[in-house]
Amino acid sequence: MPFVKIGKTSDVQNRKGRLFIVNGNRVAVFNVNGEFFAIDSRCPHHGIDLAGGYLNGKIVTCPGHGWEFDLETGENVILPVSVRKYNIKSEGDNLLLEI
Ligand code: FES
């Protein structure tokens, strides 16, 4: 699958998430101390964007009702549900997402 440029590394503040729309998909990108992660932003509970969630290490907590997802896998830390995880990398200042 090809990697496409979606933005700059500076677009995502450290320990924050940011929403990107990529080919019509809502993708949440997180910066954890310079390491980038990308998951589907729609929470499988009621669809609130995980991009606006709170980070604790590599765990994001949904701002809606507190479901927690592991950025390494996209899996909920308690329940048997998950969100799609995307491969993402940085090259220089560019953020590249595999689609
Ligand atoms: S919408 Fe995410 S926990 Fe409810």
Side-chain angles (χ1 to χ4, degrees):
M1 299 288 246
F3 279 85
V4 298
K5 180 184 169 186
I6 60 168
K8 300 276 191 190
T9 55
S10 57
D11 292 338
V12 189
Q13 292 178 27
N14 191 21
R15 298 184 191 153
K16 299 280 187 189
R18 179 161 178 177
L19 178 66
F20 291 83
I21 307 295
V22 184
N23 288 354
N25 297 311
R26 301 177 76 80
V27 179
V29 176
F30 298 90
N31 177 351
V32 181
N33 300 321
E35 189 175 3
F36 291 90
F37 298 89
I39 59 173
D40 208 2
S41 191
R42 276 180 53 87
C43 180
H45 184 216
H46 284 306
I48 290 176
D49 274 307
L50 294 169
Y54 313 104
L55 279 181
N56 181 8
K58 295 178 182 175
I59 304 294
V60 61
T61 300
C62 179
H65 314 93
W67 283 17
E68 295 179 319
F69 296 88
D70 186 334
L71 297 181
E72 299 263 22
T73 61
E75 293 176 0
N76 188 291
V77 300
I78 298 172
L79 302 168
V81 295
S82 62
V83 292
R84 177 180 172 184
K85 180 184 184 315
Y86 293 86
N87 290 322
I88 190 168
K89 63 182 180 181
S90 58
E91 278 185 1
D93 292 342
N94 295 320
L95 272 181
L96 305 170
L97 186 79
E98 188 177 30
I99 57 169

Short mmCIF file of all heavy atoms in Angstrom, two decimals, residues 24-92:
data_model
loop_
_atom_site.label_atom_id
_atom_site.label_comp_id
_atom_site.label_asym_id
_atom_site.label_seq_id
_atom_site.Cartn_x
_atom_site.Cartn_y
_atom_site.Cartn_z
N GLY A 24 -11.57 10.76 2.59
CA GLY A 24 -12.90 10.69 3.20
C GLY A 24 -12.92 9.99 4.54
O GLY A 24 -13.98 9.91 5.17
N ASN A 25 -11.77 9.45 4.99
CA ASN A 25 -11.71 8.78 6.28
C ASN A 25 -11.22 9.74 7.36
O ASN A 25 -10.31 10.54 7.12
CB ASN A 25 -10.74 7.59 6.22
CG ASN A 25 -11.20 6.54 5.23
OD1 ASN A 25 -12.36 6.12 5.26
ND2 ASN A 25 -10.31 6.12 4.36
N ARG A 26 -11.82 9.64 8.53
CA ARG A 26 -11.40 10.47 9.66
C ARG A 26 -10.28 9.73 10.39
O ARG A 26 -10.51 8.69 11.02
CB ARG A 26 -12.58 10.73 10.61
CG ARG A 26 -13.74 11.41 9.92
CD ARG A 26 -14.92 11.60 10.84
NE ARG A 26 -14.72 12.67 11.79
CZ ARG A 26 -14.88 13.96 11.50
NH1 ARG A 26 -15.24 14.32 10.30
NH2 ARG A 26 -14.69 14.88 12.42
N VAL A 27 -9.08 10.26 10.28
CA VAL A 27 -7.90 9.60 10.85
C VAL A 27 -7.35 10.47 11.98
O VAL A 27 -7.11 11.67 11.80
CB VAL A 27 -6.81 9.40 9.77
CG1 VAL A 27 -5.58 8.74 10.36
CG2 VAL A 27 -7.37 8.57 8.61
N ALA A 28 -7.18 9.86 13.13
CA ALA A 28 -6.62 10.55 14.29
C ALA A 28 -5.12 10.25 14.34
O ALA A 28 -4.72 9.09 14.39
CB ALA A 28 -7.28 10.08 15.58
N VAL A 29 -4.32 11.31 14.32
CA VAL A 29 -2.86 11.16 14.39
C VAL A 29 -2.39 11.71 15.73
O VAL A 29 -2.81 12.80 16.15
CB VAL A 29 -2.17 11.90 13.24
CG1 VAL A 29 -0.65 11.82 13.37
CG2 VAL A 29 -2.62 11.32 11.90
N PHE A 30 -1.55 10.94 16.40
CA PHE A 30 -1.05 11.31 17.72
C PHE A 30 0.47 11.40 17.69
O PHE A 30 1.14 10.62 17.00
CB PHE A 30 -1.48 10.29 18.77
CG PHE A 30 -2.97 10.20 18.94
CD1 PHE A 30 -3.70 9.30 18.17
CD2 PHE A 30 -3.64 11.02 19.81
CE1 PHE A 30 -5.08 9.22 18.29
CE2 PHE A 30 -5.01 10.96 19.94
CZ PHE A 30 -5.73 10.06 19.18
N ASN A 31 0.98 12.33 18.47
CA ASN A 31 2.42 12.51 18.63
C ASN A 31 2.77 12.18 20.08
O ASN A 31 2.34 12.87 21.01
CB ASN A 31 2.77 13.97 18.31
CG ASN A 31 4.25 14.31 18.51
OD1 ASN A 31 5.00 13.51 19.05
ND2 ASN A 31 4.63 15.49 18.08
N VAL A 32 3.51 11.10 20.25
CA VAL A 32 3.95 10.70 21.59
C VAL A 32 5.47 10.88 21.63
O VAL A 32 6.22 10.00 21.21
CB VAL A 32 3.55 9.25 21.92
CG1 VAL A 32 4.00 8.89 23.34
CG2 VAL A 32 2.04 9.06 21.78
N ASN A 33 5.89 12.05 22.07
CA ASN A 33 7.32 12.34 22.18
C ASN A 33 8.07 12.10 20.87
O ASN A 33 9.16 11.52 20.86
CB ASN A 33 7.95 11.52 23.31
CG ASN A 33 7.31 11.83 24.65
OD1 ASN A 33 7.00 12.99 24.94
ND2 ASN A 33 7.07 10.79 25.44
N GLY A 34 7.45 12.54 19.77
CA GLY A 34 8.10 12.43 18.48
C GLY A 34 7.82 11.15 17.74
O GLY A 34 8.24 10.98 16.60
N GLU A 35 7.11 10.21 18.38
CA GLU A 35 6.69 8.98 17.72
C GLU A 35 5.23 9.18 17.30
O GLU A 35 4.41 9.58 18.14
CB GLU A 35 6.84 7.80 18.68
CG GLU A 35 6.63 6.46 18.02
CD GLU A 35 6.90 5.29 18.99
OE1 GLU A 35 7.20 5.55 20.18
OE2 GLU A 35 6.80 4.15 18.55
N PHE A 36 4.92 8.88 16.05
CA PHE A 36 3.57 9.16 15.54
C PHE A 36 2.77 7.86 15.41
O PHE A 36 3.29 6.82 15.06
CB PHE A 36 3.65 9.88 14.20
CG PHE A 36 4.17 11.29 14.34
CD1 PHE A 36 5.54 11.54 14.26
CD2 PHE A 36 3.32 12.34 14.61
CE1 PHE A 36 6.03 12.84 14.42
CE2 PHE A 36 3.80 13.63 14.77
CZ PHE A 36 5.15 13.88 14.68
N PHE A 37 1.47 8.00 15.71
CA PHE A 37 0.53 6.89 15.62
C PHE A 37 -0.72 7.38 14.90
O PHE A 37 -1.09 8.56 15.03
CB PHE A 37 0.13 6.39 17.01
CG PHE A 37 1.28 5.85 17.81
CD1 PHE A 37 2.03 6.70 18.61
CD2 PHE A 37 1.62 4.51 17.73
CE1 PHE A 37 3.11 6.21 19.34
CE2 PHE A 37 2.70 4.01 18.46
CZ PHE A 37 3.44 4.87 19.26
N ALA A 38 -1.36 6.48 14.18
CA ALA A 38 -2.59 6.87 13.48
C ALA A 38 -3.63 5.77 13.62
O ALA A 38 -3.33 4.58 13.41
CB ALA A 38 -2.29 7.12 12.00
N ILE A 39 -4.82 6.17 14.01
CA ILE A 39 -5.94 5.24 14.13
C ILE A 39 -7.19 5.90 13.56
O ILE A 39 -7.25 7.12 13.39
CB ILE A 39 -6.22 4.82 15.61
CG1 ILE A 39 -6.53 6.05 16.47
CG2 ILE A 39 -5.06 4.02 16.17
CD1 ILE A 39 -6.97 5.72 17.89
N ASP A 40 -8.19 5.08 13.29
CA ASP A 40 -9.48 5.60 12.89
C ASP A 40 -10.00 6.50 14.02
O ASP A 40 -9.96 6.11 15.19
CB ASP A 40 -10.43 4.41 12.70
CG ASP A 40 -11.51 4.69 11.70
OD1 ASP A 40 -11.53 5.78 11.11
OD2 ASP A 40 -12.35 3.79 11.51
N SER A 41 -10.47 7.68 13.66
CA SER A 41 -10.84 8.63 14.72
C SER A 41 -12.22 8.38 15.31
O SER A 41 -12.49 8.82 16.42
CB SER A 41 -10.77 10.07 14.17
OG SER A 41 -10.88 11.00 15.22
N ARG A 42 -13.07 7.66 14.59
CA ARG A 42 -14.44 7.46 15.08
C ARG A 42 -14.46 6.42 16.19
O ARG A 42 -14.19 5.24 15.95
CB ARG A 42 -15.36 6.98 13.96
CG ARG A 42 -15.93 8.09 13.09
CD ARG A 42 -16.84 7.50 12.01
NE ARG A 42 -17.85 6.62 12.59
CZ ARG A 42 -19.01 7.04 13.04
NH1 ARG A 42 -19.34 8.31 12.97
NH2 ARG A 42 -19.88 6.20 13.56
N CYS A 43 -14.83 6.85 17.39
CA CYS A 43 -14.95 5.89 18.49
C CYS A 43 -16.10 4.93 18.19
O CYS A 43 -17.19 5.38 17.82
CB CYS A 43 -15.21 6.64 19.80
SG CYS A 43 -15.38 5.53 21.22
N PRO A 44 -15.86 3.62 18.35
CA PRO A 44 -16.91 2.65 18.04
C PRO A 44 -18.08 2.69 19.04
O PRO A 44 -19.10 2.04 18.79
CB PRO A 44 -16.20 1.30 18.08
CG PRO A 44 -14.93 1.54 18.79
CD PRO A 44 -14.58 2.98 18.66
N HIS A 45 -17.95 3.46 20.11
CA HIS A 45 -19.06 3.57 21.05
C HIS A 45 -20.16 4.47 20.47
O HIS A 45 -21.21 3.96 20.07
CB HIS A 45 -18.55 4.11 22.40
CG HIS A 45 -19.63 4.18 23.45
ND1 HIS A 45 -19.68 5.19 24.38
CD2 HIS A 45 -20.69 3.37 23.71
CE1 HIS A 45 -20.72 4.99 25.17
NE2 HIS A 45 -21.34 3.90 24.79
N HIS A 46 -19.90 5.77 20.36
CA HIS A 46 -20.90 6.67 19.78
C HIS A 46 -20.31 7.64 18.78
O HIS A 46 -20.90 8.69 18.51
CB HIS A 46 -21.64 7.44 20.87
CG HIS A 46 -22.68 6.62 21.59
ND1 HIS A 46 -23.69 5.95 20.94
CD2 HIS A 46 -22.86 6.35 22.90
CE1 HIS A 46 -24.44 5.30 21.83
NE2 HIS A 46 -23.94 5.52 23.03
N GLY A 47 -19.15 7.30 18.23
CA GLY A 47 -18.63 8.03 17.08
C GLY A 47 -17.92 9.33 17.36
O GLY A 47 -17.57 10.05 16.42
N ILE A 48 -17.69 9.66 18.60
CA ILE A 48 -16.96 10.89 18.91
C ILE A 48 -15.50 10.72 18.46
O ILE A 48 -14.94 9.62 18.51
CB ILE A 48 -17.07 11.20 20.42
CG1 ILE A 48 -18.51 11.64 20.72
CG2 ILE A 48 -16.07 12.27 20.85
CD1 ILE A 48 -18.81 11.89 22.17
N ASP A 49 -14.91 11.83 18.01
CA ASP A 49 -13.55 11.76 17.48
C ASP A 49 -12.52 11.49 18.56
O ASP A 49 -12.35 12.29 19.50
CB ASP A 49 -13.20 13.06 16.76
CG ASP A 49 -13.67 13.06 15.32
OD1 ASP A 49 -13.33 12.11 14.59
OD2 ASP A 49 -14.40 14.00 14.95
N LEU A 50 -11.78 10.40 18.38
CA LEU A 50 -10.69 10.08 19.30
C LEU A 50 -9.53 11.05 19.16
O LEU A 50 -8.70 11.16 20.06
CB LEU A 50 -10.21 8.64 19.05
CG LEU A 50 -11.25 7.56 19.37
CD1 LEU A 50 -10.77 6.21 18.83
CD2 LEU A 50 -11.51 7.48 20.86
N ALA A 51 -9.49 11.78 18.04
CA ALA A 51 -8.41 12.77 17.85
C ALA A 51 -8.42 13.81 18.96
O ALA A 51 -7.39 14.39 19.28
CB ALA A 51 -8.55 13.44 16.49
N GLY A 52 -9.57 14.04 19.55
CA GLY A 52 -9.67 15.00 20.65
C GLY A 52 -9.53 14.37 22.01
O GLY A 52 -9.83 15.00 23.03
N GLY A 53 -9.05 13.11 22.04
CA GLY A 53 -8.93 12.39 23.29
C GLY A 53 -7.72 12.80 24.10
O GLY A 53 -6.89 13.60 23.67
N TYR A 54 -7.63 12.22 25.26
CA TYR A 54 -6.56 12.53 26.21
C TYR A 54 -5.54 11.41 26.18
O TYR A 54 -5.89 10.24 26.25
CB TYR A 54 -7.15 12.69 27.62
CG TYR A 54 -8.36 13.55 27.63
CD1 TYR A 54 -9.63 13.00 27.75
CD2 TYR A 54 -8.25 14.94 27.46
CE1 TYR A 54 -10.78 13.80 27.72
CE2 TYR A 54 -9.38 15.74 27.43
CZ TYR A 54 -10.64 15.17 27.56
OH TYR A 54 -11.75 15.96 27.50
N LEU A 55 -4.27 11.77 26.12
CA LEU A 55 -3.21 10.77 26.05
C LEU A 55 -2.60 10.50 27.41
O LEU A 55 -2.33 11.42 28.18
CB LEU A 55 -2.09 11.25 25.11
CG LEU A 55 -2.31 11.08 23.61
CD1 LEU A 55 -1.10 11.59 22.86
CD2 LEU A 55 -2.60 9.64 23.25
N ASN A 56 -2.39 9.22 27.66
CA ASN A 56 -1.60 8.79 28.81
C ASN A 56 -0.61 7.78 28.25
O ASN A 56 -0.97 6.62 28.03
CB ASN A 56 -2.51 8.18 29.88
CG ASN A 56 -1.72 7.73 31.09
OD1 ASN A 56 -0.52 8.01 31.19
ND2 ASN A 56 -2.36 7.03 32.00
N GLY A 57 0.59 8.24 27.97
CA GLY A 57 1.53 7.38 27.25
C GLY A 57 0.97 7.09 25.87
O GLY A 57 0.63 8.01 25.13
N LYS A 58 0.85 5.79 25.55
CA LYS A 58 0.33 5.40 24.23
C LYS A 58 -1.12 4.93 24.31
O LYS A 58 -1.59 4.17 23.46
CB LYS A 58 1.23 4.30 23.64
CG LYS A 58 2.65 4.80 23.35
CD LYS A 58 3.54 3.72 22.83
CE LYS A 58 4.96 4.27 22.62
NZ LYS A 58 5.90 3.21 22.22
N ILE A 59 -1.81 5.38 25.36
CA ILE A 59 -3.24 5.08 25.52
C ILE A 59 -4.02 6.37 25.33
O ILE A 59 -3.69 7.40 25.96
CB ILE A 59 -3.54 4.50 26.92
CG1 ILE A 59 -2.70 3.25 27.21
CG2 ILE A 59 -5.03 4.23 27.08
CD1 ILE A 59 -3.02 2.07 26.32
N VAL A 60 -5.04 6.33 24.46
CA VAL A 60 -5.89 7.50 24.29
C VAL A 60 -7.25 7.20 24.92
O VAL A 60 -7.81 6.11 24.76
CB VAL A 60 -6.04 7.89 22.81
CG1 VAL A 60 -6.68 6.79 21.96
CG2 VAL A 60 -6.84 9.19 22.69
N THR A 61 -7.74 8.19 25.66
CA THR A 61 -9.05 8.08 26.28
C THR A 61 -10.04 8.92 25.50
O THR A 61 -9.82 10.11 25.26
CB THR A 61 -9.00 8.59 27.74
OG1 THR A 61 -8.06 7.80 28.47
CG2 THR A 61 -10.36 8.49 28.41
N CYS A 62 -11.11 8.30 25.07
CA CYS A 62 -12.14 8.99 24.30
C CYS A 62 -12.74 10.13 25.13
O CYS A 62 -13.09 9.92 26.30
CB CYS A 62 -13.23 8.01 23.89
SG CYS A 62 -14.56 8.79 22.96
N PRO A 63 -12.87 11.32 24.52
CA PRO A 63 -13.45 12.43 25.26
C PRO A 63 -14.95 12.27 25.50
O PRO A 63 -15.54 13.04 26.26
CB PRO A 63 -13.17 13.65 24.36
CG PRO A 63 -13.04 13.07 22.99
CD PRO A 63 -12.45 11.69 23.16
N GLY A 64 -15.54 11.27 24.86
CA GLY A 64 -16.98 11.06 25.05
C GLY A 64 -17.30 10.42 26.38
O GLY A 64 -17.84 11.06 27.30
N HIS A 65 -16.95 9.16 26.52
CA HIS A 65 -17.34 8.40 27.71
C HIS A 65 -16.21 7.57 28.28
O HIS A 65 -16.44 6.61 29.03
CB HIS A 65 -18.54 7.51 27.38
CG HIS A 65 -19.60 8.23 26.61
ND1 HIS A 65 -19.64 8.22 25.22
CD2 HIS A 65 -20.59 9.03 27.01
CE1 HIS A 65 -20.64 8.98 24.80
NE2 HIS A 65 -21.24 9.49 25.86
N GLY A 66 -14.98 7.90 27.86
CA GLY A 66 -13.84 7.32 28.55
C GLY A 66 -13.32 6.00 28.07
O GLY A 66 -12.46 5.40 28.72
N TRP A 67 -13.83 5.49 26.95
CA TRP A 67 -13.22 4.26 26.45
C TRP A 67 -11.76 4.53 26.13
O TRP A 67 -11.42 5.62 25.63
CB TRP A 67 -13.93 3.77 25.20
CG TRP A 67 -15.25 3.09 25.47
CD1 TRP A 67 -15.99 3.16 26.61
CD2 TRP A 67 -15.97 2.27 24.55
NE1 TRP A 67 -17.13 2.42 26.46
CE2 TRP A 67 -17.16 1.86 25.21
CE3 TRP A 67 -15.76 1.83 23.24
CZ2 TRP A 67 -18.10 1.04 24.61
CZ3 TRP A 67 -16.70 1.02 22.65
CH2 TRP A 67 -17.85 0.62 23.32
N GLU A 68 -10.92 3.52 26.36
CA GLU A 68 -9.48 3.69 26.16
C GLU A 68 -8.98 2.75 25.07
O GLU A 68 -9.34 1.57 25.04
CB GLU A 68 -8.73 3.40 27.47
CG GLU A 68 -9.06 4.40 28.57
CD GLU A 68 -8.34 4.09 29.86
OE1 GLU A 68 -8.25 2.89 30.22
OE2 GLU A 68 -7.85 5.02 30.50
N PHE A 69 -8.12 3.29 24.22
CA PHE A 69 -7.57 2.53 23.10
C PHE A 69 -6.05 2.62 23.11
O PHE A 69 -5.48 3.67 23.38
CB PHE A 69 -8.11 3.07 21.77
CG PHE A 69 -9.59 2.89 21.61
CD1 PHE A 69 -10.47 3.87 22.10
CD2 PHE A 69 -10.13 1.76 21.04
CE1 PHE A 69 -11.84 3.70 21.99
CE2 PHE A 69 -11.50 1.58 20.92
CZ PHE A 69 -12.36 2.57 21.41
N ASP A 70 -5.44 1.48 22.77
CA ASP A 70 -3.99 1.39 22.67
C ASP A 70 -3.56 1.86 21.28
O ASP A 70 -3.98 1.28 20.27
CB ASP A 70 -3.58 -0.07 22.91
CG ASP A 70 -2.08 -0.25 22.98
OD1 ASP A 70 -1.33 0.57 22.39
OD2 ASP A 70 -1.66 -1.23 23.61
N LEU A 71 -2.74 2.88 21.22
CA LEU A 71 -2.32 3.42 19.93
C LEU A 71 -1.45 2.43 19.15
O LEU A 71 -1.34 2.52 17.93
CB LEU A 71 -1.55 4.73 20.12
CG LEU A 71 -2.32 5.89 20.74
CD1 LEU A 71 -1.43 7.11 20.84
CD2 LEU A 71 -3.58 6.20 19.94
N GLU A 72 -0.83 1.49 19.84
CA GLU A 72 0.03 0.52 19.14
C GLU A 72 -0.79 -0.47 18.33
O GLU A 72 -0.34 -0.99 17.31
CB GLU A 72 0.87 -0.28 20.16
CG GLU A 72 1.80 0.55 21.01
CD GLU A 72 3.22 0.56 20.46
OE1 GLU A 72 3.40 0.29 19.26
OE2 GLU A 72 4.13 0.86 21.24
N THR A 73 -2.02 -0.75 18.80
CA THR A 73 -2.81 -1.81 18.17
C THR A 73 -4.19 -1.35 17.70
O THR A 73 -4.82 -2.03 16.90
CB THR A 73 -3.04 -2.96 19.19
OG1 THR A 73 -3.78 -2.43 20.31
CG2 THR A 73 -1.72 -3.54 19.69
N GLY A 74 -4.68 -0.26 18.24
CA GLY A 74 -6.05 0.17 17.96
C GLY A 74 -7.08 -0.54 18.83
O GLY A 74 -8.28 -0.28 18.73
N GLU A 75 -6.62 -1.43 19.72
CA GLU A 75 -7.55 -2.21 20.53
C GLU A 75 -7.97 -1.46 21.79
O GLU A 75 -7.15 -0.76 22.41
CB GLU A 75 -6.91 -3.55 20.93
CG GLU A 75 -6.70 -4.45 19.73
CD GLU A 75 -5.99 -5.74 20.08
OE1 GLU A 75 -5.66 -5.94 21.27
OE2 GLU A 75 -5.77 -6.54 19.17
N ASN A 76 -9.23 -1.64 22.15
CA ASN A 76 -9.72 -1.14 23.42
C ASN A 76 -9.00 -1.90 24.53
O ASN A 76 -8.77 -3.11 24.42
CB ASN A 76 -11.23 -1.36 23.51
CG ASN A 76 -11.86 -0.70 24.72
OD1 ASN A 76 -11.63 -1.10 25.85
ND2 ASN A 76 -12.65 0.32 24.47
N VAL A 77 -8.64 -1.20 25.61
CA VAL A 77 -7.83 -1.86 26.64
C VAL A 77 -8.66 -2.81 27.51
O VAL A 77 -8.09 -3.65 28.21
CB VAL A 77 -7.10 -0.83 27.54
CG1 VAL A 77 -6.17 0.05 26.70
CG2 VAL A 77 -8.09 0.04 28.30
N ILE A 78 -10.00 -2.71 27.45
CA ILE A 78 -10.84 -3.57 28.28
C ILE A 78 -11.79 -4.41 27.42
O ILE A 78 -11.89 -5.62 27.59
CB ILE A 78 -11.66 -2.73 29.29
CG1 ILE A 78 -10.73 -2.00 30.25
CG2 ILE A 78 -12.65 -3.62 30.06
CD1 ILE A 78 -11.41 -1.01 31.16
N LEU A 79 -12.47 -3.75 26.51
CA LEU A 79 -13.54 -4.40 25.74
C LEU A 79 -13.01 -5.02 24.45
O LEU A 79 -11.99 -4.57 23.91
CB LEU A 79 -14.63 -3.38 25.40
CG LEU A 79 -15.26 -2.68 26.61
CD1 LEU A 79 -16.11 -1.50 26.17
CD2 LEU A 79 -16.09 -3.68 27.41
N PRO A 80 -13.71 -6.03 23.93
CA PRO A 80 -13.25 -6.68 22.69
C PRO A 80 -13.68 -5.91 21.45
O PRO A 80 -14.37 -6.43 20.56
CB PRO A 80 -13.91 -8.06 22.77
CG PRO A 80 -15.18 -7.82 23.52
CD PRO A 80 -14.87 -6.73 24.52
N VAL A 81 -13.30 -4.65 21.39
CA VAL A 81 -13.56 -3.82 20.22
C VAL A 81 -12.26 -3.10 19.87
O VAL A 81 -11.38 -2.94 20.72
CB VAL A 81 -14.68 -2.78 20.45
CG1 VAL A 81 -16.02 -3.45 20.68
CG2 VAL A 81 -14.34 -1.85 21.59
N SER A 82 -12.18 -2.68 18.63
CA SER A 82 -10.96 -1.97 18.22
C SER A 82 -11.29 -0.99 17.11
O SER A 82 -12.37 -1.02 16.52
CB SER A 82 -9.90 -2.97 17.76
OG SER A 82 -10.35 -3.69 16.63
N VAL A 83 -10.35 -0.11 16.87
CA VAL A 83 -10.42 0.79 15.73
C VAL A 83 -9.27 0.44 14.79
O VAL A 83 -8.27 -0.15 15.22
CB VAL A 83 -10.33 2.28 16.16
CG1 VAL A 83 -11.56 2.69 16.93
CG2 VAL A 83 -9.06 2.55 16.95
N ARG A 84 -9.43 0.78 13.54
CA ARG A 84 -8.39 0.50 12.57
C ARG A 84 -7.12 1.27 12.92
O ARG A 84 -7.18 2.44 13.28
CB ARG A 84 -8.85 0.90 11.17
CG ARG A 84 -7.78 0.69 10.12
CD ARG A 84 -8.27 1.09 8.74
NE ARG A 84 -7.17 1.05 7.79
CZ ARG A 84 -7.27 1.41 6.52
NH1 ARG A 84 -8.42 1.86 6.05
NH2 ARG A 84 -6.22 1.35 5.73
N LYS A 85 -6.01 0.57 12.82
CA LYS A 85 -4.72 1.22 13.02
C LYS A 85 -4.07 1.40 11.64
O LYS A 85 -4.12 0.51 10.81
CB LYS A 85 -3.82 0.35 13.89
CG LYS A 85 -2.46 0.96 14.13
CD LYS A 85 -1.56 0.04 14.90
CE LYS A 85 -0.23 0.71 15.23
NZ LYS A 85 0.37 1.42 14.12
N TYR A 86 -3.52 2.57 11.41
CA TYR A 86 -2.82 2.86 10.16
C TYR A 86 -1.32 2.89 10.41
O TYR A 86 -0.88 3.27 11.50
CB TYR A 86 -3.21 4.24 9.63
CG TYR A 86 -4.64 4.40 9.19
CD1 TYR A 86 -5.63 4.72 10.10
CD2 TYR A 86 -5.00 4.26 7.85
CE1 TYR A 86 -6.94 4.89 9.71
CE2 TYR A 86 -6.30 4.43 7.43
CZ TYR A 86 -7.28 4.75 8.37
OH TYR A 86 -8.58 4.91 7.98
N ASN A 87 -0.57 2.54 9.40
CA ASN A 87 0.87 2.74 9.45
C ASN A 87 1.18 4.19 9.09
O ASN A 87 0.63 4.72 8.13
CB ASN A 87 1.59 1.80 8.49
CG ASN A 87 1.51 0.36 8.93
OD1 ASN A 87 1.59 0.07 10.14
ND2 ASN A 87 1.32 -0.55 8.00
N ILE A 88 2.01 4.81 9.90
CA ILE A 88 2.37 6.20 9.66
C ILE A 88 3.86 6.34 9.92
O ILE A 88 4.43 5.63 10.77
CB ILE A 88 1.54 7.14 10.56
CG1 ILE A 88 1.75 8.61 10.16
CG2 ILE A 88 1.82 6.92 12.05
CD1 ILE A 88 0.75 9.56 10.80
N LYS A 89 4.49 7.24 9.18
CA LYS A 89 5.92 7.48 9.40
C LYS A 89 6.22 8.93 9.08
O LYS A 89 5.44 9.62 8.40
CB LYS A 89 6.77 6.55 8.54
CG LYS A 89 6.60 6.73 7.05
CD LYS A 89 7.44 5.72 6.28
CE LYS A 89 7.28 5.90 4.77
NZ LYS A 89 8.06 4.93 3.99
N SER A 90 7.34 9.39 9.57
CA SER A 90 7.79 10.73 9.23
C SER A 90 9.04 10.61 8.37
O SER A 90 9.87 9.71 8.55
CB SER A 90 8.08 11.55 10.49
OG SER A 90 9.06 10.91 11.28
N GLU A 91 9.14 11.50 7.40
CA GLU A 91 10.33 11.61 6.57
C GLU A 91 10.68 13.08 6.53
O GLU A 91 9.93 13.88 5.92
CB GLU A 91 10.07 11.10 5.15
CG GLU A 91 10.17 9.59 5.03
CD GLU A 91 10.02 9.09 3.61
OE1 GLU A 91 9.86 9.91 2.68
OE2 GLU A 91 10.04 7.86 3.43
N GLY A 92 11.75 13.45 7.20
CA GLY A 92 12.03 14.88 7.35
C GLY A 92 10.90 15.51 8.12
O GLY A 92 10.51 15.04 9.19
#
